[in-house]
Amino acid sequence: MGGHPPQPRQRRPAGPAPPRAGLQHQGPPGAVMADEREQERLTAEKKRERYVWYYLAYFLFGIHIVAFVMIYAVLHAK
């Protein structure tokens, strides 16, 4: 039986483990971190801004409809 003798496994140097993607320090269980609260606030603010634009668009569209109906009524009045 020939061959090479088995080689020992290479070990990593002792020390802190490298950070993993997506893992962050979590505070005490049940606590909401300040970054999470800020993210929730920004999300809610963006949602409000989006609805403001929707309402403005509906309002302007409604004004056009009313104007067209009034013009039609004036032009077709007997």
Side-chain angles (χ1 to χ4, degrees):
M1 298 206 157
H4 299 284
Q7 298 293 321
R9 288 189 174 180
Q10 297 292 326
R11 293 186 168 217
R12 292 185 179 164
R20 295 185 189 176
L23 295 179
Q24 296 176 350
H25 171 69
Q26 301 295 326
V32 178
M33 303 298 283
D35 291 340
E36 293 175 7
R37 277 185 266 147
E38 181 68 14
Q39 186 64 33
E40 289 173 4
R41 187 189 66 77
L42 290 174
T43 302
E45 186 175 319
K46 286 180 184 179
K47 190 174 183 180
R48 277 193 303 274
E49 287 176 3
R50 190 175 341 138
Y51 283 122
V52 167
W53 284 109
Y54 288 159
Y55 291 139
L56 180 63
Y58 290 141
F59 175 74
L60 293 176
F61 181 73
I63 289 176
H64 283 90
I65 296 298
V66 170
F68 288 134
V69 168
M70 292 177 69
I71 291 170
Y72 181 83
V74 169
L75 293 177
H76 292 81
K78 292 184 178 182

